[in-house]
Amino acid sequence: MGLGDFVRRLLGMSRRGNGGRGVDELARRIGTSVEELRAVRPVYRPFDIPKRSGGVRRVLAPEPALKSLQRRILRRLLDRLVCHEAATGFERGESIVTNAAWHVRRSVVVRMDVKDFFASTAAARVREFFLAIGWGDDASDLLIRLCTHAGGLPQGAPTSPRLSNLVNYVLDERLNALAAQFDAMYTRYADDLTFSFAEDSPEAVHAVIRLTKLIVEDEGYKLHMAKKLRIYHRHHRQLVNGLVVNEHVNLPRATRRWLRAVEHRVTAGRPVTLTPAQLDGWRALDAMVRNQRGGTDS
């Protein structure tokens, strides 16, 4: 038995299987019929969207009937379940700002990134989760058919973000315990893992990086060690989710200056390269940072 399996046993995530709730109960809770549940075809339409950091992200958009059913599964089966407090991505009341706020004014900030996070969240692990929360084999198999694709979570399905947090309770618990061992803070925003340290101890930092890699691999993932490992000391600009956290959560200075320049051009009636929707998006981000971070502006 691996360490991850041992921790799951301690957390009560044991397999229930045939003793769990059946397909009839699943249909009742979702508000549909068994026939309708079984008739929905799990079809996805792939498309690419640009990343803010460059490149593209492949998204799998579920067909309308499947998407509607996934939304009901999310609302009626998953919304009230509890994920780990360190998981801040996609959670109600949380944002990139609240995630970054955990790491303000720290001596060292370390960021790591999980490769292909959603696709690597294996359908077998999701099935074990459904079994563990009381669904029987048949109901769990049906839920897997409706919520996973090609052996993992489809990025683009309404259920995937919440499932990724629920399934990874043990991962977050193990990494949180690791952080506490070295007087560090840990949060996870989707595939972004952040640790911050009260003291600048190279030994502690490198131990956490090394042990995080082992824990992540034990839970079925891999890290982008070469390209996306970042270590920020106090004399660096410390970034979490693209936000500066040296003194308080803020947009990077260059971004704030650029946004002020854009607003000045708009006020003066001069053309800008942004569409109205893009400008509204930047304004909303700036307002969210100011409203959620607390403290004073700088």
Side-chain angles (χ1 to χ4, degrees):
M1 182 190 300
L3 181 56
D5 295 325
F6 175 71
V7 175
R8 287 185 189 90
R9 291 277 183 92
L10 289 179
L11 292 173
M13 294 182 67
S14 58
R15 190 185 190 283
R16 295 188 189 179
N18 287 322
R21 297 181 291 271
V23 175
D24 288 341
E25 176 63 10
L26 177 62
R28 188 191 69 81
R29 292 199 183 190
I30 294 174
T32 186
S33 67
V34 173
E35 292 74 20
E36 192 176 353
L37 272 182
R38 296 191 187 279
V40 173
R41 296 172 60 240
V43 177
Y44 296 83
R45 178 176 56 86
F47 66 95
D48 295 329
I49 59 174
K51 294 181 180 180
R52 188 180 298 176
S53 58
V56 296
R57 175 179 289 108
R58 173 56 58 96
V59 174
L60 296 171
E63 290 297 305
L66 176 61
K67 187 174 185 178
S68 175
L69 192 55
Q70 288 171 340
R71 282 176 170 163
R72 278 191 275 172
I73 292 171
L74 173 63
R75 190 169 58 251
R76 301 187 183 191
L77 300 187
L78 305 178
D79 257 0
R80 295 186 180 182
L81 301 178
V82 177
C83 68
H84 198 279
E85 64 181 358
T88 59
F90 320 116
E91 292 299 313
R92 189 176 288 109
E94 302 286 357
S95 69
I96 59 172
V97 181
T98 61
N99 181 69
W102 286 97
H103 307 287
V104 169
R105 299 189 190 95
R106 304 287 282 176
S107 293
V108 184
V109 174
V110 176
R111 290 174 45 223
M112 289 173 268
D113 185 85
V114 179
K115 291 182 180 179
D116 301 321
F117 176 64
F118 285 102
S120 297
T121 304
R125 292 183 60 219
V126 180
R127 186 178 189 276
E128 285 297 322
F129 170 77
F130 283 127
L131 291 168
I133 63 173
W135 294 104
D137 284 314
D138 291 344
S140 295
D141 288 341
L142 186 50
L143 284 166
I144 287 300
R145 179 174 177 270
L146 296 170
C147 297
T148 68
H149 175 73
L153 291 177
Q155 187 165 1
T159 45
S160 291
R162 193 91 230 280
L163 278 172
S164 73
N165 284 344
L166 293 168
V167 168
N168 282 303
Y169 191 101
V170 172
L171 169 68
D172 292 325
E173 178 63 22
R174 296 174 71 183
L175 293 179
N176 193 58
L178 173 65
Q181 182 180 345
F182 291 93
D183 194 22
M185 296 294 302
Y186 160 73
T187 62
R188 179 177 60 80
Y189 194 94
D191 57 353
D192 293 326
L193 314 180
T194 304
F195 293 85
S196 59
F197 297 78
E199 302 294 335
D200 190 346
S201 167
E203 295 81 7
V205 169
H206 289 100
V208 165
I209 293 171
R210 177 176 57 83
L211 292 170
T212 295
K213 182 175 183 292
L214 294 176
I215 292 171
V216 166
E217 289 179 354
D218 190 49
E219 293 293 331
Y221 298 103
K222 291 186 180 298
L223 293 176
H224 283 285
M225 294 302 292
K227 292 184 178 180
K228 298 191 177 181
L229 170 64
R230 296 288 184 270
I231 303 174
Y232 303 108
H233 298 272
R234 281 291 289 166
H235 59 278
H236 296 143
R237 183 182 64 167
Q238 296 172 319
L239 291 172
V240 177
N241 302 123
L243 303 174
V244 179
V245 295
N246 291 70
E247 296 301 327
H248 57 243
V249 181
N250 213 346
L251 291 171
R253 182 174 299 170
T255 302
R256 285 181 280 137
R257 287 175 174 170
W258 167 79
L259 188 55
R260 283 197 295 267
V262 170
E263 294 286 14
H264 179 73
R265 291 180 69 89
V266 170
T267 301
R270 298 162 64 189
V272 296
T273 57
L274 296 176
T275 66
Q278 289 172 327
L279 180 55
D280 286 344
W282 279 105
R283 286 168 172 163
L285 175 61
D286 185 43
M288 181 177 73
V289 171
R290 293 175 182 274
N291 292 335
Q292 294 185 6
R293 72 186 177 190
T296 58
D297 294 346
S298 67

